[in-house]
Every structure is written in C-alpha cells, then in structure tokens.
C-alpha cells in the first residue's frame, strides 16, 4: 500500500483523492446542503478554513457534465447515506465561478478581471456551441464572452444566461457555486471605487440569484 501524503495548500478535491492524500471526511457537508431548504446558501468562514476545497467537493459530487465521479467518493460517509442523497451524485449541471482574482486598482480594470472570470466559467461549457438547443444569437453572446469582448450589460447577465443555457441543454435545473464573492467589493473599498463596484454587483447578483428559475440551489462562500 502506498503511503498517504499531505496535500498542503491543495484546494482541488479530485487532486487530493487521486493522489491518495490525507483527507478529513467532510462529505456530510453535501448532505447538509441537500437538506437545507434555502435556494441560496451563504457560507462565511475565515481564510484557510477549507471553503474552496468544500466547493470543489460539491462541484465533483453534483456535476453531470463531466465523467462519472463515483470513484472519488467511494469509502466516504456520503455514500453510506440513503438514496435521497446518493442519487444526487452527478444529478445536475454545475456552474462554478470564483471571484478571487477580481481585484484591481480601478473600476475599468475590475471589469476586465470579471470578463476573465466569466471567460473561464464559460470555457467549461463550450460544448453548448455545438448544440441545436442553443439559439444562434445566444452562441454569438457566448463567443463574445469567450473572447472577452462583451459589453457591461452582457457581463452583468453572464451567469444568469449560462444557467438558462445549461438548464435547457440538460433539461435539469442548475447548481451554482460562487466562491470568494466578497473579494471584488472588499478590494474596491480599499482602492476607492466602491460606489461604482456596488452599483455593478447589485445588478450582477440581483439578476443571478433573485427569481432565477433555472437554479436548483446556489452556494456562496466568502470571508
């Protein structure tokens, strides 16, 4: 039997499991998320408390858009639970987005950081471009985001639009995982463009979370 290693600084659940690193079983967190009746769940913890690792775990558990991840959870507590919970493995399309790098010295630079974050989010779902379930004008919007040439209005609606595309393509509601939600506004306050940033994110978060019919559940983390 190979020795287990310690994955110091590792925040990718799959990486820990594939390399057989030590892992304190936190998979009952998945059960808590499923049991929580709120459509939007906010989890706040200090830095280095494993928030991103837990979000990565949720992504691999719920995601139906990638390969079967059953092996990653074999031997963990969530797989000992009743069918109500194990049936959620690979049950939903998942949007994962992190805003940890959306921090710059000006509002204009922050928007460029946001475009990069949305580009990385959309890259995970480029198969949509080949689907006849996605209209041509929607594919044009997707291409604008992939080339970071979208205007501010499209940027504000980018997560909401992607949730609609994924729900229609998979015929299932979407799980949205938003990590480090507070970083852009915290940085905007420090750098002196807080009022502009608040106006942007009020719309961005509003259209993403409020009355979005395509979302099954949203988990948000931050400090």
């Amino acid at each position: 039997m190979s020795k287990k290693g310690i994955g110091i600084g590792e925040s990718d659940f799959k990486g820990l499991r594939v390399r057989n690193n030590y892992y304190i079983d936190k998979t009952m967190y998945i059960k808590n998320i499923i049991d929580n009746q709120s459509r939007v769940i906010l989890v706040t913890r200090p830095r280095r408390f494993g928030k991103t690792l837990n979000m990565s775990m949720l992504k691999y558990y719920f995601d139906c858009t990638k390969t079967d991840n059953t092996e990653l959870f074999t031997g963990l507590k969530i797989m000992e639970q009743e069918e109500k919970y194990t049936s959620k493995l690979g049950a939903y399309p998942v949007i994962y987005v992190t805003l940890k790098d959306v921090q710059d010295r000006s509002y204009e630079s922050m928007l460029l950081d946001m475009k990069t974050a949305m580009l990385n989010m959309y890259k995970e779902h480029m198969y949509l471009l080949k689907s006849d379930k996605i209209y041509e004008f929607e594919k044009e919007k997707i291409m604008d985001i992939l080339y970071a040439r979208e205007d501010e209005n499209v940027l504000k609606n980018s997560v909401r639009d992607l949730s609609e595309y994924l729900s229609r393509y998979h015929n299932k509601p979407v799980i949205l995982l938003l990590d480090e939600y507070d970083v852009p506004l915290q940085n905007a306050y420090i750098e002196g463009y807080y009022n502009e940033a608040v106006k942007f994110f009020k719309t961005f978060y509003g259209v993403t979370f409020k009355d979005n019919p395509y979302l099954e559940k949203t988990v948000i983390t931050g400090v």
Side-chain angles (χ1 to χ4, degrees):
M1 181 181 295
S2 62
K3 292 183 178 180
K4 288 183 178 290
I6 300 176
I8 297 175
E10 178 63 76
S11 59
D12 180 61
F13 176 78
K14 183 176 182 179
L16 285 176
R17 297 291 287 166
V18 168
R19 289 195 296 272
N20 196 31
N21 290 152
Y22 280 106
Y23 173 68
I24 297 174
D25 192 342
K26 298 290 184 70
T27 56
M28 293 303 284
Y29 180 61
I30 299 169
K31 181 177 183 295
N32 293 338
I33 294 297
I34 295 171
D35 285 338
N36 194 315
Q37 296 299 304
S38 299
R39 294 285 300 277
V40 180
I41 302 168
L42 173 63
V43 180
T44 56
R45 296 289 187 277
R47 299 197 183 282
R48 313 310 303 171
F49 257 58
K51 298 186 299 297
T52 299
L53 178 58
N54 281 340
M55 292 287 266
S56 174
M57 175 185 69
L58 294 177
K59 176 185 176 182
Y60 286 114
Y61 192 80
F62 290 119
D63 197 3
C64 71
T65 67
K66 303 295 189 298
T67 56
D68 183 5
N69 288 319
T70 302
E71 186 176 351
L72 297 180
F73 294 91
T74 299
L76 299 179
K77 292 179 180 178
I78 189 63
M79 301 308 290
E80 300 171 2
Q81 307 309 304
E82 57 194 275
E83 192 267 345
K84 170 184 176 182
Y85 305 103
T86 57
S87 65
K88 301 299 184 183
L89 177 62
Y92 302 101
V94 173
I95 296 174
Y96 176 85
V97 58
T98 177
L99 301 185
K100 68 180 180 65
D101 295 323
V102 182
Q103 45 181 324
D104 222 311
R105 293 186 176 182
S106 69
Y107 179 69
E108 291 73 21
S109 296
M110 184 211 78
L111 291 180
L112 293 177
D113 290 341
M114 279 295 294
K115 288 185 176 185
T116 300
M118 296 304 103
L119 182 160
N120 291 330
M121 178 182 72
Y122 270 71
K123 278 198 305 186
E124 295 285 321
H125 306 282
M126 290 180 63
Y127 55 87
L128 294 172
L129 292 170
K130 299 179 181 179
S131 173
D132 57 8
K133 294 182 180 180
I134 307 301
Y135 303 119
E136 288 303 315
F137 76 91
E138 293 172 330
K139 292 178 181 179
E140 291 176 8
K141 289 171 69 175
I142 292 173
M143 290 302 297
D144 283 344
I145 290 172
L146 289 173
Y147 281 94
R149 62 193 181 204
E150 72 270 32
D151 61 29
E152 194 167 322
N153 186 57
V154 172
L155 184 61
K156 289 176 181 177
N157 286 275
S158 52
V159 177
R160 196 267 184 197
D161 287 345
L162 182 58
S163 66
E164 179 181 355
Y165 306 154
L166 289 174
S167 179
R168 189 192 312 151
Y169 179 90
H170 294 281
N171 197 28
K172 296 177 179 181
V174 175
I175 298 284
L176 171 60
L177 306 174
L178 176 59
D179 198 16
E180 306 275 13
Y181 85 96
D182 54 334
V183 168
L185 286 175
Q186 186 180 54
N187 184 76
Y189 179 79
I190 294 171
E191 297 293 346
Y193 58 91
Y194 183 77
N195 290 337
E196 291 176 290
V198 164
K199 186 177 180 181
F200 175 88
F201 281 102
K202 182 178 181 181
T203 303
F204 177 77
Y205 288 140
V207 298
T208 299
F209 304 135
K210 186 177 180 181
D211 300 325
N212 185 340
Y214 307 105
L215 295 181
E216 172 71 14
K217 195 179 291 284
T218 298
V219 183
I220 309 170
T221 68
V223 174

